[in-house]
Amino acid sequence: MRARTPTIVLGVALAVACFRPAAAQDVPTDAEMREAHAVLLGLAQDGAAPERDDSADIYYSIIDNPNAPRLVTRLEVSGAPCRARTTSALQFPDQWASLTLGLVDLSRVTAVTAYASVDDMIAEGKAVVFDAPEAQQIVLTGKGLFCTSRMSLSGESGAPDEMCADRLDLPMMDEEQKARAKRALAIVADFCKAPAFGKK
């Protein structure tokens, strides 16, 4: 994997150059920043539209069984637009189970890798340029990219369960997902100035 790094970095630089003319025209609005965060965090599944107010977007997991638990997530962009807060609650019918507070910082993306299939992503092989037509999976990595603190709402006492993830996975399986992904990546590259997109 390391032997491919120069080629991948060059490909990233060229791909970003293709994104920049369109992305640099305007500063993203709050709604556009929230959409970028939602896409990268996997909240915007199957084109699901959130409930939106002036300061936050609220996403509900899609469920077919009314007795199944449902995840409710509130997404807010902080004073620094490339950082967002999430508040997620897992709700069982007529009760709550847990609450998770999260913080994502898109300026911490230090590497971006694209793959043509899920199998290649799992094997971490055959990386492609992320704007290549065959790209179907993108992996963004960076230390402390998404940190969460989870606590129980069941009345049980205990210290919050804290963890930080260094990776975000971004699917591009159809044209709609690709369009959303490209908008989000353009914001990460041009507005958030993530180090992964500044390498030469």
Side-chain angles (χ1 to χ4, degrees):
M1 189 68 181
R2 290 182 179 175
R4 293 177 174 269
T5 301
T7 303
I8 294 172
V9 169
L10 177 60
V12 168
L14 292 173
V16 170
C18 295
F19 282 134
R20 278 187 173 146
Q25 291 179 358
D26 300 299
V27 174
T29 64
D30 285 346
E32 290 170 334
M33 287 303 304
R34 282 180 289 195
E35 181 184 15
H37 285 288
V39 168
L40 294 170
L41 291 173
L43 297 176
Q45 296 291 336
D46 300 323
E51 290 185 3
R52 176 164 288 173
D53 61 30
D54 292 337
S55 61
D57 291 344
I58 300 175
Y59 288 85
Y60 297 89
S61 60
I62 300 173
I63 57 173
D64 297 323
N65 182 354
N67 295 318
R70 175 173 235 183
L71 188 66
V72 183
T73 301
R74 178 182 175 90
L75 172 70
E76 300 174 88
V77 174
S78 69
C82 293
R83 302 179 74 191
R85 294 181 296 268
T86 60
T87 306
S88 299
L90 183 63
Q91 181 185 25
F92 286 85
D94 301 321
Q95 62 179 324
W96 296 94
S98 63
L99 178 71
T100 302
L101 306 178
L103 179 65
V104 62
D105 188 344
L106 300 183
S107 65
R108 293 190 174 192
V109 176
T110 55
V112 54
T113 311
Y115 301 95
S117 70
V118 174
D119 290 339
D120 287 345
M121 180 181 68
I122 293 172
E124 297 186 350
K126 300 180 182 179
V128 299
V129 178
F130 69 78
D131 69 338
E134 65 270 26
Q136 292 190 354
Q137 301 288 331
I138 289 182
V139 177
L140 304 177
T141 53
K143 186 172 178 59
L145 189 55
F146 182 44
C147 293
T148 60
S149 178
R150 185 171 61 88
M151 61 195 75
S152 173
L153 296 179
S154 63
E156 299 176 1
S157 59
D161 182 13
E162 299 180 352
M163 63 174 292
C164 283
D166 299 332
R167 167 175 172 161
L168 295 175
D169 292 348
L170 183 59
M172 298 174 60
M173 304 299 291
D174 55 40
E175 292 305 314
E176 184 178 352
Q177 286 186 342
K178 286 184 178 181
R180 292 200 304 265
K182 287 181 178 180
R183 288 196 299 268
L185 290 171
I187 286 175
V188 177
D190 284 281
F191 186 68
C192 298
K193 306 297 183 186
F197 299 89
K199 295 177 180 178
K200 305 295 182 185

